[in-house]
Amino acid sequence: MDSSSLSEDCSHNNNNTQPPNDQRLYLVPHRWWKDAQDSVPADLNEKKGILYNASPGSTGPMKIINNIFSSDIVFNLRREEDLPNNRENDEVGVSGQDFALVSGEMWLQALKWHSDSKNATKDEKGFSATADDMSDVYPLQLRLSVQKETNSLGVRISKRDNAVELFKRSCKIFCVDTEMIRIWDFSGQTTLFFVNDISKAPTDFQRQCEEIFLELQVYGLSDSLRCREGKKYEIASFNGCSSLKMNGSSGAMNGDSLTFSLRHGEAGSLGLTGLQNLGNTCFMNSALQCLAHTPKLVDYFVEDYGREINHDNPLGMKGEIALAFGDLLRKLWAPGASPLVPKSFKSKLDRFAPQFSGFNQHDSQELLAFLLDGLHEDLNRVKRKPYVEVKDGDGRPDEEVADEYWHNHLARNDSIIVDVCQGQYKSTLVCPVCRKVSVTFDPFMYLSLPLPSTAIRTMTLTVVNSCIDGIAQLSPYTISVPKNGRFEDLTRALGIACSLGADETILVAEVFTNCIIRFLEDPSDSLYLIRDADRLVAYRFKKDSGDAPLVVFMNQRLEEQYIHGKLTPNWKAFGIPIVVRLCNITDGSDLHNFYLKFLSLFRISTEETSEDFDASIKTEEIVKMEGITTPSLGPNEEGSDSPSDEGFQFYITDEKGTVKGSKILMNEPLVINAESRRLHMLVGWSDKRIQQYEPQLFSPLPEVFKSSFFAKRPQESISLYNCLEAFLQKEPLGPEDMWYCPSCKKPCQASKKLDLWRLPEVLVIHLKRFQYSRFMKNKLETYVDFPVDNLDLSAYIAYGNGKSYRYTLYAISNHYGSMGGGHYTAFVHHGGDQWYDFDDGHVHPISKEKIKSGAAYVLFYRRVSEI
């Protein structure tokens, strides 16, 4: 497009023929032009250059509304034809910031002269630009506004119109705030914009549009251009734009334009302002920096957002949180700002969210959730929320039901937060009894994803086979269970591991100091009740013995201990407790014989022990056994009987192990509690008996999970997609989240399945690193490998509505350290491949390769538009 053509909006009726390429308008270094000017034919070189001086800002009919992320270059070109400095001499127009506008033919002639001078050759047959010459030419799109009253042109160069790399080059060229920039027009094209006779103006310009779209061919203004005799035409480096305007005012917010005049280097530093730590407020600073660099929110809050504040919303905070956040955001993006002290915002936060008051460390994600919800309610465009009745799907298509839910949601919730941050997921509940299916479509502000590799817990248990079938009786098994699972998950996994038969069942018990302290019988109890240092035993039974009484045998042996300075024999528990279900047990003889039969599987097979064992089961010897004292009966006195080496002594105890009576005799009837159907027995062992059995029976039980203090586990690594898949998996509801089934008319532990249905423009992903329960607190240091430039969720969306499902990362909230303290920072993308680390008041660059770490806590993605 040539210099006289207008924007597409103004030229749809233009019938003029497009001029040839060599008639385009070129911007070149003035010195480069002056060196070759005398060689240009007179018919092309008769025009006297018209000087324009550049100055910051823009006035006149062209209204410049720049957002923070565009940072358009805005400046004025004032025509100086009536001033004395509009004369060419050897001292004017020769600096690195002086340029010339020439036509395509003039540029070609000057290029030929430079080429001839360099090669010392003449080609009378003609000349054309080489590939090397054309590689130094690039187009730059400008928008002009004519300001006749000041005899000047308003110029705007926008990222929207130009490629990113070309825009960066233009920032280096038009540094009007720090350098005096002058442009001489030798083409005569700019004079057409100021003609009083409209008939002499270009056809398109007669339409009196606000803006003129001009394409310049920029040549010789790369970092350096080598010319004749090694000369260089240097362009001063500039790291930003010359002027930034933001709609709105930080004061009365009356809609007036707020203009920042930037000094050298300030445009590139916009938004790179830290927040001082007020005392454990790094969590707040991290969340605020991520929100303050969310593009659509920045655009919104630097404009006049005051008209949308909902002062009367009972769910809001009378607009005070929105005003405090907007004021803080504007200060963060002000040029030349030093680190801010966010006392005013912290004061508002303490007032409306007392959970964050004081100076204790808090969770940045919890603060983020509060801020998003608070900003939404303060800026909710719905002043009076209508009553909306939720209707069941009744077999209607999901698309229809989802749209109905979304429209009902928007009828009550309409704000910039909903526009940018809210999505929708499909929730499916299934009753385990009647199979009733309930489908709802609910909005979400962010996704809280589990870390699946650490959602699995490894546990070791010892299985005791009490079925007396001749196989090995004690076997350790290591299983994997959901970390947030229930006891039923443990028994299910253990049953698979030990090949539990269809006619068998297991009962798990916790053992402490060789005594059973509890049975794990409630399938809905949380696995958090089991600690890594606990020791568990699983007892295996036949299902057909389910009505038989449960007998618990606790083993004790006599040991000598010093008590009050005197060596005294004392009973102490040892070995693994034995739990069996006994049928047809009537007296002490039945009990004793069964116990011996069970132990026979662990007996050491030698001739001596075999004879001893045969003698031990003779009833006449068993009947002769004498009484024996236990610690529950009282301290042993000197001269008390020692245990018989010929057999075992049995005592009935309560659940706590306290002996309730004397030794059980062989013919003594057993009385079992009809309510509990359990019988607790204490069995006294002699040292000789202990030597006759396998040490396995007396070895310490393994811990549920044995961790080494010195051994460092390799850092786990998982993909963000794995986290998303774990989030979308079908899972049963917990007892505290029971669902009321409309068919069964009662609460039930339904299964739940989530599906992504509608994705927002800004997707916030929370990685659930912190785990809380009544019994423990834990932080997961798992390294999550998340995409930076291309998060593609196309495979995870349940409903394709034609929108893009590709996202790019722009901010991260990080947490370093332990559960109870630690430190929060933020990583923020600032154009190109440049990232910055916001560590409270300190802001410094960080390489793109270093933004991934095990500290990543909350990820901020924005949707990428499809081309």
Side-chain angles (χ1 to χ4, degrees):
M1 185 178 294
D2 67 359
S3 61
S4 63
S5 61
L6 305 183
S7 66
E8 293 180 1
D9 294 337
C10 302
S11 61
H12 62 278
N13 289 329
N14 186 5
N15 297 321
N16 291 344
T17 303
Q18 180 76 14
N21 287 338
D22 62 358
Q23 290 300 312
R24 292 179 298 178
L25 195 61
Y26 284 74
L27 181 71
V28 299
H30 188 274
R31 176 180 291 179
W32 181 85
W33 167 251
K34 284 219 19 122
D35 289 344
Q37 187 175 17
D38 293 338
S39 68
V40 177
D43 60 336
L44 297 177
N45 195 18
E46 60 184 3
K47 303 181 181 69
K48 182 179 179 181
I50 299 176
L51 174 63
Y52 290 88
N53 279 328
S55 61
S58 176
T59 58
M62 183 173 64
K63 185 179 182 181
I64 307 300
I65 303 175
N66 293 24
N67 67 54
I68 298 299
F69 292 86
S70 293
S71 301
D72 293 354
I73 302 172
V74 183
F75 58 93
N76 292 330
L77 290 176
R78 184 177 179 183
R79 185 173 174 175
E80 307 292 358
E81 59 182 347
D82 298 327
L83 298 179
N85 62 349
N86 182 25
R87 61 178 184 268
E88 306 233 21
N89 53 53
D90 293 337
E91 297 179 358
V92 177
V94 293
S95 74
Q97 293 295 336
D98 294 324
F99 311 111
L101 285 175
V102 297
S103 68
E105 292 180 284
M106 299 165 69
W107 171 77
L108 197 62
Q109 291 293 330
L111 188 64
K112 178 179 181 299
W113 181 87
H114 281 286
S115 176
D116 292 344
S117 300
K118 180 179 180 180
N119 299 321
T121 61
K122 302 289 183 178
D123 185 3
E124 302 298 337
K125 296 181 180 180
F127 174 81
S128 61
T130 66
D132 290 339
D133 294 324
M134 296 310 299
S135 66
D136 198 45
V137 179
Y138 61 88
L140 189 63
Q141 313 294 337
L142 284 69
R143 293 179 182 268
L144 308 178
S145 66
V146 180
Q147 300 149 23
K148 293 184 178 179
E149 65 278 4
T150 59
N151 212 22
S152 62
L153 293 172
V155 181
R156 175 161 62 117
I157 305 174
S158 174
K159 278 186 179 178
R160 185 178 59 184
D161 300 329
N162 297 277
V164 174
E165 183 59 33
L166 302 186
F167 182 81
K168 289 181 178 179
R169 293 186 185 182
S170 65
C171 289
K172 295 181 180 180
I173 298 173
F174 301 105
C175 184
V176 299
D177 286 318
T178 59
E179 299 285 342
M180 182 177 66
I181 297 179
R182 291 168 292 191
I183 300 176
W184 276 265
D185 178 19
F186 294 94
S187 69
Q189 296 294 329
T190 58
T191 59
L192 300 178
F193 301 142
F194 295 96
V195 295
N196 293 322
D197 186 354
I198 299 298
S199 62
K200 296 181 180 180
T203 304
D204 292 333
F205 187 61
Q206 296 180 31
R207 296 182 57 81
Q208 299 181 358
C209 293
E210 277 193 356
E211 292 187 2
I212 301 172
F213 188 83
L214 176 65
E215 179 178 288
L216 285 181
Q217 304 300 317
V218 181
Y219 173 75
L221 298 182
S222 57
D223 291 338
S224 65
L225 175 66
R226 291 175 173 82
C227 292
R228 179 168 54 93
E229 297 177 359
K231 291 182 181 179
K232 294 183 179 180
Y233 301 97
E234 301 288 351
I235 302 300
S237 175
F238 179 58
N239 197 20
C241 65
S242 54
S243 178
L244 172 68
K245 291 193 174 185
M246 296 186 296
N247 241 8
S249 162
S250 60
M253 286 188 298
N254 55 10
D256 294 337
S257 178
L258 176 63
T259 303
F260 292 148
S261 180
L262 308 182
R263 297 185 297 272
H264 176 67
E266 284 185 340
S269 65
L270 285 176
L272 301 180
T273 304
L275 291 168
Q276 296 285 10
N277 194 320
L278 305 178
N280 280 330
T281 58
C282 56
F283 76 97
M284 179 184 76
N285 295 344
S286 175
L288 286 174
Q289 292 289 8
C290 292
L291 281 182
H293 288 82
T294 299
K296 286 297 181 70
L297 293 186
V298 176
D299 293 348
Y300 178 84
F301 280 99
V302 299
E303 295 179 359
D304 182 15
Y305 66 94
R307 64 183 182 278
E308 291 196 342
I309 289 182
N310 191 335
H311 297 278
D312 303 320
N313 187 353
L315 300 178
M317 286 149 277
K318 302 185 182 302
E320 294 191 39
I321 284 292
L323 288 169
F325 177 78
D327 181 64
L328 181 66
L329 183 144
R330 291 181 173 210
K331 291 177 180 178
L332 287 173
W333 282 95
S338 57
L340 300 178
V341 181
K343 285 185 177 179
S344 177
F345 182 85
K346 182 64 166 62
S347 176
K348 296 290 184 184
L349 184 65
D350 291 351
R351 176 183 171 191
F352 292 106
Q355 66 269 31
F356 299 114
S357 62
F359 299 97
N360 293 324
Q361 184 68 282
H362 294 283
D363 190 325
S364 69
Q365 187 273 333
E366 292 179 359
L367 174 64
L368 177 69
F370 166 79
L371 278 180
L372 289 175
D373 185 66
L375 291 174
H376 159 63
E377 296 296 351
D378 272 3
L379 299 169
N380 197 344
R381 304 176 185 109
V382 179
K383 306 303 180 183
R384 304 184 68 177
K385 296 186 177 183
Y387 170 75
V388 176
E389 183 178 356
V390 178
K391 299 179 182 179
D392 193 77
D394 292 329
R396 291 181 292 163
D398 282 348
E399 293 82 357
E400 178 182 339
V401 179
D403 287 343
E404 181 179 281
Y405 270 85
W406 188 249
H407 292 151
N408 291 342
H409 175 68
L410 295 182
R412 297 172 54 85
N413 303 275
D414 182 17
S415 70
I416 181 63
I417 303 299
V418 174
D419 297 342
V420 175
C421 299
Q422 282 200 349
Q424 185 184 37
Y425 58 73
K426 174 185 176 182
S427 176
T428 304
L429 294 171
V430 180
C431 176
V433 179
C434 68
R435 311 308 296 175
K436 165 70 177 177
V437 178
S438 173
V439 178
T440 58
F441 293 86
D442 304 311
F444 66 85
M445 197 87 75
Y446 49 85
L447 298 178
S448 289
L449 305 186
L451 307 187
S453 67
T454 51
I456 300 299
R457 181 180 181 185
T458 300
M459 305 179 72
T460 300
L461 299 86
T462 300
V463 176
V464 178
N465 188 348
S466 56
C467 300
I468 316 300
D469 53 7
I471 63 174
Q473 300 297 297
L474 297 179
S475 303
Y477 289 92
T478 299
I479 59 175
S480 295
V481 294
K483 198 164 190 177
N484 299 324
R486 311 289 175 181
F487 285 162
E488 62 181 350
D489 299 315
L490 184 150
T491 55
R492 185 185 304 111
L494 186 60
I496 295 173
C498 69
S499 302
L500 193 70
D503 61 340
E504 293 179 300
T505 184
I506 52 178
L507 175 64
V508 181
E510 180 182 346
V511 176
F512 180 71
T513 62
N514 303 102
C515 300
I516 293 177
I517 59 174
R518 63 174 177 142
F519 289 98
L520 282 60
E521 298 181 277
D522 188 345
S524 63
D525 278 351
S526 172
L527 290 180
Y528 279 123
L529 295 171
I530 302 175
R531 298 168 298 180
D532 286 347
D534 291 343
R535 303 173 192 270
L536 301 183
V537 181
Y539 300 96
R540 188 169 179 171
F541 309 115
K542 292 289 185 180
K543 284 184 178 179
D544 55 13
S545 63
D547 294 333
L550 192 72
V551 183
V552 180
F553 295 96
M554 183 181 69
N555 306 309
Q556 285 194 349
R557 64 186 297 181
L558 192 64
E559 293 184 352
E560 292 186 334
Q561 298 178 343
Y562 281 96
I563 300 178
H564 304 298
K566 183 179 180 180
L567 190 63
T568 306
N570 193 40
W571 287 96
K572 182 178 180 181
F574 76 103
I576 300 174
I578 305 300
V579 178
V580 293
R581 290 194 181 276
L582 297 182
C583 302
N584 303 321
I585 296 295
T586 59
D587 56 23
S589 178
D590 297 332
L591 188 70
H592 187 274
N593 289 336
F594 177 87
Y595 189 70
L596 286 179
K597 185 177 181 181
F598 179 83
L599 291 179
S600 66
L601 298 173
F602 300 93
R603 190 175 178 86
I604 300 174
S605 297
T606 64
E607 183 177 350
E608 179 182 354
T609 59
S610 180
E611 292 176 357
D612 192 38
F613 174 72
D614 293 338
S616 69
I617 61 175
K618 294 179 180 180
T619 305
E620 58 269 25
E621 291 188 27
I622 296 174
V623 174
K624 296 178 182 179
M625 289 191 300
E626 297 296 330
I628 182 171
T629 57
T630 71
S632 299
L633 293 173
N636 287 351
E637 298 180 359
E638 186 177 2
S640 61
D641 296 333
S642 62
S644 170
D645 289 338
E646 303 300 330
F648 301 94
Q649 287 78 44
F650 295 86
Y651 296 85
I652 296 178
T653 70
D654 58 16
E655 293 184 358
K656 297 181 180 179
T658 303
V659 175
K660 299 173 62 176
S662 61
K663 178 183 65 176
I664 299 175
L665 301 178
M666 293 302 98
N667 58 354
E668 181 180 346
L670 297 177
V671 180
I672 299 176
N673 189 313
E675 181 178 351
S676 66
R677 300 289 293 169
R678 290 181 181 175
L679 184 63
H680 293 266
M681 306 295 299
L682 185 150
V683 183
W685 286 61
S686 66
D687 290 338
K688 184 177 181 180
R689 280 294 183 194
I690 294 175
Q691 296 172 4
Q692 296 171 355
Y693 292 90
E694 294 283 355
Q696 179 188 14
L697 189 61
F698 316 113
S699 300
L701 290 169
E703 295 181 356
V704 167
F705 180 81
K706 182 68 174 178
S707 59
S708 173
F709 180 79
F710 297 100
K712 184 177 180 181
R713 294 186 188 179
Q715 188 180 36
E716 294 178 276
S717 177
I718 58 175
S719 164
L720 183 63
Y721 294 111
N722 297 142
C723 301
L724 184 59
E725 289 163 2
F727 174 75
L728 299 176
Q729 278 184 349
K730 181 180 179 181
E731 61 179 1
L733 295 177
E736 67 279 3
D737 297 321
M738 303 284 274
W739 173 62
Y740 184 84
C741 177
S743 296
C744 298
K745 306 296 183 184
K746 63 178 181 180
C748 66
Q749 199 169 355
S751 64
K752 184 176 183 179
K753 174 73 170 68
L754 294 178
D755 293 290
L756 299 179
W757 191 265
R758 192 187 309 266
L759 294 178
E761 184 167 343
V762 169
L763 180 62
V764 180
I765 296 179
H766 163 225
L767 302 177
K768 297 172 70 173
R769 294 195 178 277
F770 300 133
Q771 296 184 338
Y772 306 88
S773 72
R774 292 178 297 170
F775 309 99
M776 62 173 293
K777 296 180 180 179
N778 187 35
K779 182 194 173 184
L780 306 176
E781 299 286 353
T782 306
Y783 174 83
V784 178
D785 186 10
F786 48 86
V788 175
D789 298 317
N790 186 19
L791 174 65
D792 190 355
L793 300 181
S794 302
Y796 301 93
I797 190 77
Y799 170 62
N801 55 5
K803 292 186 178 179
S804 170
Y805 304 116
R806 292 176 54 248
Y807 288 82
T808 183
L809 187 72
Y810 70 88
I812 308 172
S813 177
N814 301 298
H815 180 269
Y816 300 90
S818 62
M819 178 75 182
H823 182 61
Y824 286 92
T825 68
F827 294 156
V828 173
H829 181 233
H830 204 262
D833 288 333
Q834 185 61 65
W835 285 78
Y836 281 85
D837 181 3
F838 288 75
D839 186 356
D840 289 330
H842 304 282
V843 181
H844 55 83
I846 183 173
S847 66
K848 185 178 179 180
E849 293 72 23
K850 293 183 178 180
I851 65 174
K852 291 185 180 183
S853 72
Y857 182 42
V858 185
L859 308 175
F860 293 77
Y861 285 91
R862 61 178 177 84
R863 187 161 56 206
V864 178
S865 300
E866 295 289 353
I867 300 177

